[in-house]
Amino acid sequence: MEVGIVGLGLIGGSLGLDLRDRGIRVLGVSRQSSTCEKALERGIVDEASQDFALLRTAEVVFICTPIGLILPILEQVIPYLEKATVVTDVGSVKSPIVQQCTPLWRNFVGGHPMAGTAEQGIEAAQRDLFVGNSYVFTPIKETPLFALRKVEEVARSIGAVIEVCPPDIHDQAVAWISHLPVFISASLVDACMGEQEAIILQWAQRFASSGFRDTSRVGGGNPQLGVMMAQYNRGAILRSLQQYRQSLDQFITYIEQENWETLEQLLKATQQVRNRFLE
Ligand code: NAP
């Protein structure tokens, strides 16, 4: 099988490494010639080009560019594709992409690998990024079953756990567990850096250890990705952020009131539910 990848960054590059390890021939297209050269050097692709014509023989094409470029890239790729070619994307938001791409290419399947790091670009590409992690596909009623099965087969081959759900449910679910944490984590760093007493901030920096490292990690990822999440999943993210603000207000109220008993009950409940939720 030949698989095409457009956008050889963290996700596209990692996908290329794993697919080649499984004996699949990978055709990579990226914007910069330096990225194409690095992809060849690192063994991420069998062939690389800045020209979409390279994708003519691909059976499946993964669009792994920033979210805002997925639709324009699909439009540019279409003239080179065989009728039966299946196209999928890896964007972190699904409803707007699936709505816009499906009318253009019948064999389009929205996808989102639930894996990543705080790094970006081809240097960040790594082997086995997807192993054991969910890979969500978001077919709609127009999506041909064979196209879904094809992308499932590729994702399964790299060790991912396949999940299938409607695009709007995906977007609301990831708003809670992926997008909201980015903004909470970033606002934690922002609030901490807002400390006016320099001496307190200096000591806080010296004391900062695994707890602060863990809670601030997801806010320190690719800023463009965070902005695109907010732009493309605005409604669901605002809904989650507003509910989060209410929850935060609740904590403030209990502490102001010195209502330690209720505070403890709430912390006990969140401790228990977290364990069950992550099981
Ligand atoms: P990234 O590391 O910045 O890679 C994006 C790549 O897209 C760049 O290497 C760039 O290639 C390429 N590109 C940009 N414009 C292009 C164009 N016009 N034509 C061809 N290639 C172009 O980003 P990423 O983290 O891999 O994210 C890519 C997608 O994966 C996004 O849609 C994101 O929502 C999704 N995603 C990300 C994560 C995560 O944790 N990062 C997780 C799941 C899904 P050049 O180097 O050639 O400029």
Side-chain angles (χ1 to χ4, degrees):
M1 189 198 287
E2 283 190 322
V3 168
I5 300 176
V6 183
L8 299 168
L10 166 68
I11 300 294
S14 302
L15 187 62
L17 282 171
D18 284 357
L19 291 174
R20 288 197 74 229
D21 282 351
R22 273 95 181 151
I24 293 173
R25 207 175 132 69
V26 176
L27 309 170
V29 175
S30 215
R31 178 180 48 177
Q32 302 182 68
S33 60
S34 57
T35 302
C36 294
E37 284 157 20
K38 279 181 209 147
L40 284 165
E41 272 163 31
R42 286 197 56 193
I44 287 172
V45 295
D46 292 278
E47 285 183 60
S49 174
Q50 292 164 275
D51 187 347
F52 294 117
L54 182 69
L55 303 170
R56 278 182 207 283
T57 53
E59 215 174 298
V60 182
V61 173
F62 284 76
I63 303 180
C64 302
T65 60
I67 299 172
L69 289 172
I70 293 170
L71 177 69
I73 288 201
L74 176 65
E75 287 169 334
Q76 292 172 66
V77 167
I78 281 174
Y80 302 101
L81 301 181
E82 295 285 337
K83 254 197 171 138
T85 303
V86 175
V87 180
T88 185
D89 75 300
V90 297
S92 315
V93 179
K94 295 277 53 92
S95 289
I97 291 173
V98 171
Q99 270 168 25
Q100 292 171 343
C101 292
T102 307
L104 293 185
W105 192 249
R106 193 175 144 66
N107 299 330
F108 180 85
V109 189
H112 179 200
M114 302 299 299
T117 71
E119 310 301 319
Q120 65 187 102
I122 192 154
E123 286 81 9
Q126 61 182 68
R127 289 196 151 77
D128 294 335
L129 182 68
F130 310 98
V131 174
N133 290 319
S134 294
Y135 197 129
V136 190
F137 290 107
T138 59
I140 52 175
K141 62 178 188 331
E142 291 84 356
T143 312
L145 188 60
F146 97 90
L148 176 63
R149 293 288 175 258
K150 182 65 74 187
V151 290
E152 283 178 346
E153 180 193 331
V154 178
R156 202 172 284 116
S157 77
I158 54 171
V161 178
I162 309 302
E163 307 278 5
V164 175
C165 100
D168 57 329
I169 301 288
H170 164 277
D171 290 351
Q172 291 182 41
V174 295
W176 281 118
I177 55 86
S178 177
H179 301 173
L180 177 63
V182 168
F183 296 104
I184 294 175
S185 175
S187 61
L188 167 69
V189 175
D190 181 55
C192 179
M193 294 310 130
E195 168 59 57
Q196 297 295 308
E197 298 273 353
I199 186 78
I200 295 177
L201 198 55
Q202 277 166 24
W203 280 105
Q205 189 180 10
R206 286 177 68 162
F207 298 156
S209 171
S210 56
F212 191 76
R213 207 177 300 280
D214 289 349
T215 47
S216 61
R217 184 179 61 81
V218 291
N222 181 345
Q224 288 83 29
L225 182 54
V227 173
M228 288 209 183
M229 282 172 181
Q231 284 175 332
Y232 286 83
N233 204 16
R234 184 171 168 271
I237 290 179
L238 281 176
R239 179 172 165 265
S240 301
L241 275 169
Q242 273 147 7
Q243 209 155 318
Y244 175 67
R245 187 156 60 185
Q246 281 175 24
S247 177
L248 207 53
D249 281 343
Q250 191 177 231
F251 278 101
I252 292 173
T253 304
Y254 295 150
I255 295 169
E256 278 176 347
Q257 294 172 344
E258 301 187 21
N259 189 347
W260 311 132
E261 202 179 311
T262 314
L263 182 66
E264 187 177 347
Q265 280 168 10
L266 183 56
L267 289 173
K268 268 188 186 154
T270 56
Q271 181 193 40
Q272 283 168 8
V273 84
R274 177 183 184 271
N275 293 340
R276 281 202 306 273
F277 191 77
L278 291 175
E279 254 167 29

